[in-house]
Amino acid sequence: MTHGGRAAVLIQENAGSGNGLPFTANILKNNTLRASIKMADIFCGKASVQTAIYVLEVNRPHNADNDLVRFIDFSNDGYTRMNRKKSGQSVNLRDTDHAKERYDEVCRLVLYGKGANDKNLHYFKDCYTEDYITLSGNDWTYGQHQKIDTVPTEEDFQNVVREYLSWKVGQVLKGENGLGKQ
């Protein structure tokens, strides 16, 4: 891989949030981070560690201004895991929510991104984002780039008003004005 190619590393997720320094910063000097995939609890009680897969383009330095990284929360991979030591895979690992399709979608997202009009997004619409990272090597995790919409919708406003009016009517029926007994 000295001439190029791709590499995928399964590692403890917090290695990408600063605990892997200086190694992560050094990796970016010669390689480009293409994707950061937050994994499900793949060890199911055997090790309490959150893992991630970091996909790299080898032998091409990361450009912080031009190289978009694909961040995917794959904590729901479609499998249900059980912690039974002596039972078979059919019991310990069951496809309960389109696991094969979810893995296919993650592969497409890593290779091609969301595509025009989000054509590659079905299962991970709310669990995918593209963003830039710095060359410091401490901002590789999904949680650091997760987009949280804090703008309230009209429905949010209506629900708050509805709850307030319901409370106010209850207070009036009890003979209270909301500031104490009358």
Side-chain angles (χ1 to χ4, degrees), residues 22-146:
F23 303 105
T24 50
N26 288 336
I27 288 170
L28 295 174
K29 290 178 184 175
N30 298 310
N31 307 284
T32 301
L33 182 65
R34 286 292 174 206
S36 170
I37 306 166
K38 177 181 178 168
M39 294 300 294
D41 183 10
I42 58 176
F43 298 115
C44 190
K46 298 191 183 353
S48 60
V49 71
Q50 180 61 51
T51 57
I53 296 176
Y54 297 121
V55 180
L56 301 154
E57 184 177 338
V58 178
N59 207 24
R60 181 183 167 277
H62 192 91
N63 184 318
D65 295 324
N66 295 323
D67 290 325
L68 268 176
V69 179
R70 297 166 179 128
F71 294 92
I72 306 164
D73 181 356
F74 196 39
S75 53
N76 179 5
D77 67 353
Y79 283 111
T80 299
R81 293 165 176 82
M82 301 181 94
N83 190 11
R84 294 186 180 169
K85 293 180 181 181
K86 295 190 178 191
S87 59
Q89 180 178 340
S90 63
V91 173
N92 286 344
L93 187 65
R94 293 179 300 127
D95 182 346
T96 55
D97 191 11
H98 307 280
K100 183 177 188 290
E101 293 86 352
R102 288 175 181 273
Y103 275 83
D104 287 343
E105 184 169 317
V106 165
C107 288
R108 284 193 314 276
L109 287 171
V110 169
L111 291 172
Y112 310 113
K114 62 183 177 177
N117 301 320
D118 298 341
K119 70 176 184 167
N120 289 328
L121 284 173
H122 177 70
Y123 295 103
F124 299 102
K125 284 184 181 176
D126 297 327
C127 305
Y128 176 83
T129 190
E130 296 176 348
D131 203 0
Y132 297 96
I133 62 168
T134 65
L135 297 178
S136 63
N138 63 354
D139 56 350
W140 290 19
T141 65
Y142 172 82
Q144 294 169 298
H145 298 271
Q146 180 181 14

